[in-house]
Amino acid sequence: MANPNEHEPQGTHQSKKAAASGWIGSALEYYDFFIYATAASLIFPQIFFPAGNPKLAIIASLATYGVGYVARPIGAFVLGHMGDTHGRKQVLLICMFLMGFSTVAVGLLPTYSQVGLLAPVLLVILRLVQGFAVAGEISGASSMILEHAPFGRRGFFASFTLQGVQAGQILAAAVFLPLAHYMPEDAFNSWGWRIPFLLSFLVIVAGYIIRREVAETPAFTEEGKQGEVPKSPIVMAFQDSWQDMLRVICMALMNVIPVVATVFGAAYAVQSAYGIGFAKDVYLWIPVLGNILAVIVIPFVGNLSDKIGRKPPIIVGALLSGLLSFAYLYAISIRNVPLAIVISLLMWGVVYQGYNATFPSFYPELFRTRSRVSAMAISQNLGTTVTAMLPALFAAVAPPGSDNIWFTVGAITFGVTVLAAIACASARETYRIHMNDLGNADAVPVPKPDYERMRAQTVAQGQLAKA
């Protein structure tokens, strides 16, 4: 058998430190991203926009939330380039500081009554910075963890990136919801809403301390020593990997499931125009409970993908969650609150994690080291940006008062998940390919018996290190 050292980068692999760094960074980025989303719904219409037209204020406030998605593809190009030319560690520190300080700045903004139109202008600028910064986080963190992880354990360690994302959303709800519930409304509207934004500063400090301790990945360092760091990784990504980038764009459309669960589903259930009449406070618990479930499920799915491959969890997760969207929307249409909540948690909190826990290892494994961050960032963010437009599409094709809303929206959702499953099925399997061979269409996977033996050794070494 060939010496595996020829196919794995040599150097210090800091698997646990890299996973902790990815986790804390993703938690911070998505805490920031989601406290903004909550505030845009609850408070920003009243304090950053003219009081004369409340409907216009709500639309304008939600539009500032959408602006964050517009900035993502731009951030993907710039930060992806930086991650492939200057290193994973540097780009992750930049992402964290950009996101953290722009979020703290939102908490310090003057209101419309204080400075007039300058208030919403500053809000939009800071939201653009947030969207720009978040575009490099998942691709940079996934690449860093993957390149530090031992062979046979890449799926498990990379899944912590997404566990951090879900934890950040739980943290956002845990900070925001009690403040909104227990503070007097006047106090919350005048200064209480600023607290979750200013608390970001504490997470920046914690994130910097952890990220500073992680060395650059052996794979990137090796590329630099061999003089193979490209001047234009974006051009190289499109030349070498455009087909896999197209596959990732299609697979990233799986974001339709959280969109259906928490955006369109929530509007369908609680907005008076649809006439269903679910209580808003009940519905706020769906994202919280869904994320708690996801945090528990993700490492198990990541570990499973190291045993059976990346493609089975993604394909099964895509098709089953797409089918469950019919049941979820139907449960809302018949006004069955407990059934809607249970199916939502099953669809999003459990089944969808087959995709969500696996893509942080699968996507970067499809690309070469020298263009990995660029290729993943650009393609994943393009796919996710498309899904940000889906709530508007759903509302257009299934407006209030139309027949069979549950079936129409479910059919579109299932169609999108089928497309994602087909894209995944057409890709090559990557879990048994050595690090230095990733992104090479002709790479030969390690034979399954040898892979299982090597993986068992890695797991045993990890357990010995714990003892």
Side-chain angles (χ1 to χ4, degrees):
M1 192 181 80
N3 180 3
N5 290 339
E6 295 170 14
H7 300 277
E8 290 289 320
Q10 299 308 295
T12 305
H13 286 73
Q14 297 176 305
S15 311
K16 289 177 184 174
K17 276 188 179 178
S21 161
W23 194 97
I24 190 83
S26 296
L28 165 71
E29 299 259 345
Y30 281 83
Y31 167 78
D32 290 349
F33 212 67
F34 282 93
I35 56 169
Y36 191 104
T38 309
S41 303
L42 294 179
I43 187 75
F44 287 174
Q46 290 83 36
I47 59 172
F48 284 113
F49 297 95
N53 190 334
K55 278 188 183 175
L56 187 64
I58 290 167
I59 292 166
S61 179
L62 292 175
T64 65
Y65 171 68
V67 159
Y69 283 92
V70 173
R72 277 187 175 205
I74 302 163
F77 276 90
V78 176
L79 296 167
H81 173 88
M82 203 173 286
D84 285 325
T85 53
H86 293 84
R88 292 29 171 158
K89 179 176 179 174
Q90 186 170 334
V91 79
L92 287 175
L93 285 169
I94 289 167
C95 287
M96 191 176 68
F97 284 126
L98 277 175
M99 176 61 90
F101 286 118
S102 61
T103 304
V104 171
V106 170
L108 299 171
L109 279 182
T111 63
Y112 185 86
S113 63
Q114 291 170 320
V115 296
L117 282 173
L118 182 61
V121 169
L122 291 172
L123 189 66
V124 168
I125 290 168
L126 291 174
R127 184 57 176 172
L128 284 167
V129 175
Q130 278 195 333
F132 180 91
V134 86
E137 175 63 36
I138 288 182
S139 55
S142 299
S143 297
M144 178 173 238
I145 296 174
L146 188 89
E147 291 171 7
H148 268 299
F151 184 55
R153 298 281 277 160
R154 296 189 305 232
F156 172 72
F157 281 108
S159 72
F160 284 94
T161 310
L162 261 290
Q163 196 192 43
V165 169
Q166 314 307 136
Q169 295 177 48
I170 295 167
L171 192 60
V175 172
F176 223 109
L177 295 179
L179 284 171
H181 186 73
Y182 290 111
M183 279 188 81
E185 190 173 352
D186 288 347
F188 180 74
N189 289 355
S190 62
W191 59 269
W193 69 269
R194 297 180 185 271
I195 294 169
F197 290 88
L198 299 177
L199 284 174
S200 289
F201 186 75
L202 299 176
V203 195
I204 296 171
V205 174
Y208 173 70
I209 291 166
I210 292 172
R211 288 204 157 165
R212 187 187 57 183
E213 295 296 312
V214 185
E216 188 50 78
T217 71
F220 182 82
T221 305
E222 223 170 72
E223 295 275 320
K225 285 177 184 171
Q226 293 166 7
E228 291 185 8
V229 173
K231 288 196 171 86
S232 184
I234 294 167
V235 172
M236 184 172 282
F238 280 103
Q239 284 174 342
D240 287 354
S241 313
W242 67 268
Q243 290 165 310
D244 283 320
M245 289 177 74
L246 192 58
R247 289 184 178 100
V248 170
I249 290 171
C250 293
M251 285 187 276
L253 296 175
M254 276 300 297
N255 196 51
V256 67
I257 296 298
V259 163
V260 163
T262 62
V263 183
F264 178 79
Y268 183 33
V270 305
Q271 292 294 336
S272 57
Y274 279 104
I276 302 293
F278 281 18
K280 283 183 185 176
D281 56 349
V282 171
Y283 229 78
L284 282 172
W285 282 100
I286 284 184
V288 177
L289 295 172
N291 282 317
I292 291 169
L293 260 178
V295 163
I296 297 165
V297 169
I298 282 171
F300 291 99
V301 178
N303 192 50
L304 180 68
S305 78
D306 284 328
K307 293 179 180 176
I308 65 170
R310 314 294 185 226
K311 290 166 65 171
I314 291 177
I315 292 168
V316 172
L319 296 176
L320 273 185
S321 59
L323 284 170
L324 281 168
S325 71
F326 285 107
Y328 167 60
L329 294 165
Y330 180 71
I332 293 174
S333 75
I334 60 169
R335 297 177 171 80
N336 190 326
V337 178
L339 185 63
I341 291 174
V342 168
I343 295 175
S344 167
L345 296 180
L346 181 63
M347 174 183 74
W348 178 40
V350 180
V351 176
Y352 171 72
Q353 301 312 317
Y355 160 78
N356 205 35
T358 310
F359 86 76
S361 52
F362 189 46
Y363 288 1
E365 284 175 341
L366 290 170
F367 306 113
R368 296 176 192 270
T369 301
R370 65 196 74 170
S371 59
R372 179 168 290 135
V373 183
S374 297
M376 179 179 170
I378 291 165
S379 45
Q380 193 222 345
N381 280 290
L382 284 172
T384 307
T385 300
V386 170
T387 64
M389 301 168 195
L390 287 174
L393 172 68
F394 292 154
V397 299
S402 55
D403 295 329
N404 296 324
I405 290 171
W406 69 272
F407 186 81
T408 305
V409 175
I412 296 170
T413 304
F414 183 57
V416 170
T417 62
V418 167
L419 176 63
I422 291 168
C424 179
S426 71
R428 61 188 172 276
E429 185 55 88
T430 55
Y431 78 116
R432 289 188 283 119
I433 295 174
H434 278 297
M435 176 62 65
N436 289 348
D437 301 329
L438 291 173
N440 177 2
D442 302 321
V444 179
V446 173
K448 204 154 195 315
D450 293 334
Y451 171 79
E452 285 172 356
R453 179 179 51 77
M454 294 161 79
R455 184 173 178 278
Q457 285 175 343
T458 304
V459 172
Q461 286 164 2
Q463 287 169 343
L464 280 173
K466 277 185 197 171

